[in-house]
Amino acid sequence: MISLISNHYTYIARAFGPKQNHLSATPFQIIFKHTLHQMARSAIDEMSDSGAFIRTPSTFRNFISRDPSSTFPAEAGRYHLYVSYACPWASRCLAYLKIKGLDKFISLTSVKPIWGRTKESDDHMGWVFPCLDTEEPGAEPDPFNGAKSIRELYEIASTNYSGKYTVPVLWDKKHKTIVNNESEEIIRMFNTEFNDIAENAALDLYPPHLQAQINEVNAWIYDGINNGVYKCGFAKKQGPYFEAAQKLYEALDKCEEILGKQRYICGKTFTESDIRLFVTLIRFDEVYAVHFKCNKKLLREYPNLFNYTKDIFQIPGMSSTVNMEHIKKHYYGSHPSINPFGIIPLGPDIDYTSPHNREKFSA
């Protein structure tokens, strides 16, 4: 038993910093010592001195345009999207790829769900590709650069890059570089700039007459819910956790009230805001309620929110963006400071294909 614990402490230390004498410090002391004094290389490292989680902004912010003379013109077959099915930010982009009908024109690769060593020369843990197609169902080797990790893609794109190695990554095959790694901007590109080739070009998830409302809704959903669950889960002190949990449930209660009066979060129209809310809700009972301590109330205890989640899941193309095995493997297997032994809970195995009765608002 002692050797098992010692070996696991070594794994934790590799995830967060150089090896130490593990028998003279607890794993949490090791984590605190190294994550608070290094540049953040993953979300779990982004901590303030108060113990609160603070997400840093994305860094590659170029834009694909339908203008053929632009640096990055919208061309069929030129771009590739790297994602993790586990990551809600990447899943936003994946949802757009599917429901806009762009998946024939923008290729896709998913990484393995559980973080691994990204380089032999240091101890960073992050998104890695499988070596073979058969290694991890739903994940594939990098088909263009032969990269072993998402980190390698960042280093190909910028030799002096020192930030986080995140997904999504929108890759330009022609110039072998990252166009953009900010999901909010990628989904806006997918919404409009590829409409000359998109199979579902008529679908506008950011229509001009709703943009002000969408922006307002996005802001409180992001702060309270999308990022809120992370602020709960990654908090290292009780105060920041309590504050984040309070704000989370205030936002969920607000959604429940709104969705008791209308089918979608911005009214009668399915918009960008619904996708941004959905990617968190679909993970809530399976992961966030347990792993991130968001257990005051389950999604299934909110009648309107639960049926709304089923409604979005049943939109053609959306269910293919949800790989619950990858989602659960990642969260429970990649954060040893939260779940030291990587145990994955059995349930709850929710059926999101069951009737939702949300059509009543469209009648």
Side-chain angles (χ1 to χ4, degrees), residues 52-87:
F53 170 70
I54 300 176
R55 189 179 297 277
T56 54
S58 302
T59 49
F60 288 87
R61 309 296 284 270
N62 294 305
F63 202 83
I64 294 172
S65 171
R66 60 172 61 190
D67 179 357
S69 65
S70 66
T71 304
F72 298 102
E75 298 174 356
R78 175 167 172 171
Y79 301 101
H80 189 77
L81 184 65
Y82 291 98
V83 302
S84 164
Y85 283 103
C87 172

Side-chain angles (χ1 to χ4, degrees), residues 54-335:
I54 300 176
R55 189 179 297 277
T56 54
S58 302
T59 49
F60 288 87
R61 309 296 284 270
N62 294 305
F63 202 83
I64 294 172
S65 171
R66 60 172 61 190
D67 179 357
S69 65
S70 66
T71 304
F72 298 102
E75 298 174 356
R78 175 167 172 171
Y79 301 101
H80 189 77
L81 184 65
Y82 291 98
V83 302
S84 164
Y85 283 103
C87 172
W89 321 103
S91 293
R92 294 175 175 181
C93 304
L94 184 56
Y96 269 70
L97 204 67
K98 297 294 184 180
I99 65 177
K100 285 287 292 185
L102 288 170
D103 47 333
K104 293 180 182 177
F105 310 108
I106 299 171
S107 49
L108 172 75
T109 298
S110 174
V111 293
K112 293 169 68 173
I114 299 177
W115 285 344
R117 288 279 293 278
T118 60
K119 230 176 193 179
E120 291 302 318
S121 58
D122 61 39
D123 293 322
H124 174 260
M125 304 289 281
W127 301 112
V128 295
F129 296 99
C131 295
L132 303 169
D133 286 316
T134 55
E135 183 180 333
E136 178 78 49
E140 309 85 25
D142 174 25
F144 301 110
N145 303 288
K148 302 302 181 186
S149 68
I150 290 293
R151 176 182 180 174
E152 284 188 40
L153 297 179
Y154 278 81
E155 292 175 345
I156 292 170
S158 175
T159 54
N160 60 353
Y161 183 76
S162 59
K164 296 186 300 176
Y165 310 114
T166 60
V167 288
V169 167
L170 185 56
W171 183 264
D172 180 4
K173 302 176 196 175
K174 182 176 180 179
H175 293 305
K176 295 194 69 172
T177 192
I178 296 172
V179 179
N180 199 293
N181 69 336
E182 171 50 57
S183 64
E184 180 176 65
E185 294 175 2
I186 294 172
I187 62 177
R188 298 272 172 92
M189 294 180 222
F190 287 176
N191 187 55
T192 58
E193 301 309 302
F194 289 88
N195 277 346
D196 289 341
I197 58 175
E199 292 182 344
N200 196 8
L203 176 65
D204 186 357
L205 295 162
Y206 192 59
H209 70 287
L210 289 176
Q211 286 179 5
Q213 184 183 1
I214 290 170
N215 292 341
E216 180 185 350
V217 169
N218 285 350
W220 62 261
I221 284 178
Y222 170 80
D223 187 47
I225 300 175
N226 299 147
N227 202 40
V229 293
Y230 281 86
K231 288 190 284 187
C232 291
F234 290 162
K236 292 185 175 179
K237 292 183 180 179
Q238 190 67 37
Y241 163 77
F242 184 77
E243 182 181 340
Q246 260 192 323
K247 185 177 285 189
L248 166 66
Y249 280 98
E250 286 171 3
L252 290 172
D253 290 345
K254 183 175 181 177
C255 288
E256 178 71 5
E257 182 179 357
I258 291 171
L259 293 169
K261 303 170 186 174
Q262 58 198 44
R263 186 165 186 176
Y264 302 113
I265 200 68
C266 289
K268 295 180 179 180
T269 306
F270 175 61
T271 69
E272 169 188 304
S273 297
D274 295 298
I275 291 178
R276 291 166 68 124
L277 178 56
F278 170 81
V279 295
T280 299
L281 297 181
I282 198 71
R283 291 160 171 77
F284 201 89
D285 285 9
E286 297 277 4
V287 173
Y288 301 144
V290 178
H291 191 61
F292 282 173
K293 307 174 188 71
C294 303
N295 65 345
K296 181 181 177 183
K297 194 172 181 180
L298 298 175
L299 176 67
R300 287 165 291 168
E301 296 177 87
Y302 286 102
N304 297 321
L305 267 172
F306 184 42
N307 281 324
Y308 165 83
T309 304
K310 291 189 285 184
D311 189 10
I312 306 301
F313 181 83
Q314 293 172 34
I315 291 172
M318 286 299 294
S319 63
S320 67
T321 72
V322 180
N323 186 325
M324 197 56 71
E325 184 175 356
H326 274 225
I327 290 168
K328 293 176 74 170
K329 276 186 174 181
H330 168 67
Y331 284 97
Y332 292 113
S334 298
H335 305 146

